[in-house]
Amino acid sequence: MHVRNGPDRLLGWERRTELPLFAASMLFLGCYAVRVLNRSPDPFWRDLAMALALLIWLLFVVDYGVRLVLSDEGLRFVRTHWLDTVVLVLPLLRPLRIVNTYETLQRRRDRPRLSLYGRVMAYAGITSVLLSFAAALAVYQQERDAPGATITTFGDSVWWACSAITTVGYGDVTPVTPLGRVYAVFLMVCGLALLGAVTGSFSSWLIQVFGREDKEGPPGSDRSDRSPGAPS
């Protein structure tokens, strides 16, 4: 009888739970949006969203604890899986684990549906959208009632998030609270990393295409028809 070791059990657990946890993370983001955007005097929906968000966060805690035990690494798991630790403390960063979700989907197919370059650009694009939305919510929550704030509506916050993650930084609306500026720094750092990944992948794809064209010759040419003594 074969007894699976720690890494095998951990991989099996991650395969079974990654997709449900990704769905839970999207629900968590939705609950947070309700908490931030619902300004109705009736607190029912905000309280319900808060309760669901806490329940989902407890699911993340249980998942983290199970994976820590199955890894057989002890407390070293916290260091070797630092992204999981950060995501547990700050659940709004859960979109950063979308790569794990994509790998789980690919294990159910014989081959990836996208090329390497397509996968990098798709991952960067989806992550940028989710992180921008989460950052817009977080900054809007901090800024909307702050003295001297320029981000007073959720639309202002979305505009700021788009300019920050693309590293444009128009400066017409900016965070003024300390925590809002911390969110801004983090989003700009993520924007640089994601933009670099997309730019690098696109450049590599162009080099690959042009290199293939150089080997094959211009359209309409047939190198096989040339005789050995024909002038080049």
Side-chain angles (χ1 to χ4, degrees), residues 69-148:
V69 172
L70 294 180
S71 68
D72 292 336
E73 296 182 11
L75 293 180
R76 194 163 62 92
F77 178 88
V78 178
R79 178 172 54 84
T80 58
H81 295 73
W82 62 269
L83 179 58
D84 296 324
T85 306
V86 171
V87 167
L88 179 65
V89 177
L90 301 172
L92 285 178
L93 301 182
R94 190 79 187 182
L96 293 175
R97 282 185 52 86
I98 197 171
V99 168
N100 302 69
T101 305
Y102 180 83
E103 291 177 350
T104 301
L105 286 172
Q106 291 307 316
R107 292 190 191 105
R108 301 185 179 186
R109 304 190 182 105
D110 295 333
R111 55 186 299 181
R113 293 189 176 184
L114 295 175
S115 66
L116 174 62
Y117 307 121
R119 277 177 278 166
V120 171
M121 288 187 282
Y123 160 71
I126 296 173
T127 304
S128 298
V129 170
L130 294 175
L131 278 180
S132 296
F133 181 65
L137 289 170
V139 168
Y140 175 58
Q141 185 181 32
Q142 296 297 318
E143 298 288 317
R144 59 190 175 190
D145 298 322

Side-chain angles (χ1 to χ4, degrees), residues 2-182:
H2 176 66
V3 179
R4 297 198 301 176
N5 56 24
D8 289 339
R9 291 183 298 161
L10 177 61
L11 182 60
W13 172 265
E14 290 178 343
R15 286 178 176 177
R16 291 190 298 270
T17 60
E18 188 61 41
L19 291 179
L21 287 176
F22 178 75
S25 68
M26 294 298 98
L27 181 58
F28 181 92
L29 187 59
C31 291
Y32 182 64
V34 171
R35 286 281 302 172
V36 174
L37 300 179
N38 189 332
R39 305 298 296 273
S40 171
D42 185 1
F44 173 76
W45 292 109
R46 291 195 301 274
D47 293 343
L48 178 60
M50 184 66 177
L52 284 175
L54 288 175
L55 180 61
I56 294 169
W57 183 75
L58 287 176
L59 289 178
F60 294 157
V61 172
V62 171
D63 170 68
Y64 187 88
V66 170
R67 289 192 292 120
L68 188 151
V69 172
L70 294 180
S71 68
D72 292 336
E73 296 182 11
L75 293 180
R76 194 163 62 92
F77 178 88
V78 178
R79 178 172 54 84
T80 58
H81 295 73
W82 62 269
L83 179 58
D84 296 324
T85 306
V86 171
V87 167
L88 179 65
V89 177
L90 301 172
L92 285 178
L93 301 182
R94 190 79 187 182
L96 293 175
R97 282 185 52 86
I98 197 171
V99 168
N100 302 69
T101 305
Y102 180 83
E103 291 177 350
T104 301
L105 286 172
Q106 291 307 316
R107 292 190 191 105
R108 301 185 179 186
R109 304 190 182 105
D110 295 333
R111 55 186 299 181
R113 293 189 176 184
L114 295 175
S115 66
L116 174 62
Y117 307 121
R119 277 177 278 166
V120 171
M121 288 187 282
Y123 160 71
I126 296 173
T127 304
S128 298
V129 170
L130 294 175
L131 278 180
S132 296
F133 181 65
L137 289 170
V139 168
Y140 175 58
Q141 185 181 32
Q142 296 297 318
E143 298 288 317
R144 59 190 175 190
D145 298 322
T150 58
I151 300 176
T152 56
T153 67
F154 184 61
D156 292 337
S157 190
V158 171
W159 169 252
W160 163 82
C162 292
S163 62
I165 201 167
T166 55
T167 68
V168 174
Y170 288 108
D172 51 348
V173 288
T174 56
V176 297
T177 62
L179 194 54
R181 289 177 175 176
V182 170

